[in-house]
């Protein structure tokens, strides 16, 4: 049963990642991977919020954590895309874009996780 729960979350997360990344590239252009950045930030926020909410605010069935964190966020967030994009910038000698991508993803995703955790703790 756990495999089904994880799989359902992953299907939704992966498809949302695909739709959102294409939409963002269409709107903001393909020069910088804004879609990956937005997905990683929002996924970090969801993980931060959900884990605190599900463990400190309400006690949910552990399968919900499998669905949301392992399945949905695992399918939605794009660390492998982020790593590839950074290395592509490196190989192209695009040092500034690579540096911005590294710092933006790492700092903004940590900030989003903290924000999600804080929001989940608001009484």
């Amino acid at each position: 049963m756990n495999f089904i729960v994880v799989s359902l979350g992953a299907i939704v997360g992966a498809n949302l990642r695909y739709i959102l990344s294409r939409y963002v590239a269409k709107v903001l252009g393909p020069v910088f991977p804004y879609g990956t950045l937005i997905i990683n930030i929002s996924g970090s926020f969801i993980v931060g919020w959900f884990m605190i909410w599900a463990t400190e605010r309400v006690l949910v069935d552990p399968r919900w954590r499998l669905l949301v964190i392992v399945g949905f966020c695992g399918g939605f967030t794009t660390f492998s895309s982020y790593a590839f994009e950074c290395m592509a910038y490196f190989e192209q000698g695009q040092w500034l874009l690579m540096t911005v991508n590294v710092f933006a993803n790492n700092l903004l995703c940590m900030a989003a996780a903290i924000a999600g955790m804080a929001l989940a703790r608001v009484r």
Side-chain angles (χ1 to χ4, degrees), residues 3-43:
F3 288 106
I4 293 170
V5 171
V6 170
S7 297
L8 291 174
I11 288 168
V12 173
N15 281 286
L16 184 58
R17 177 179 73 206
Y18 172 74
I19 292 165
L20 185 59
S21 62
R22 287 183 54 104
Y23 175 76
V24 171
K26 180 180 170 186
V27 171
L28 298 177
V31 173
F32 186 80
Y34 291 107
T36 301
L37 179 60
I38 290 167
I39 289 163
N40 285 341
I41 293 168
S42 58

Side-chain angles (χ1 to χ4, degrees), residues 2 14 25 27 34 43 54 56 76-77 92 101 109 114 118-119 121:
N2 289 345
V27 171
Y34 291 107
E56 293 181 13
F76 180 63
T77 57
Q92 297 164 10
N101 200 28
C109 289
I114 290 169
L119 180 64
R121 289 183 173 133

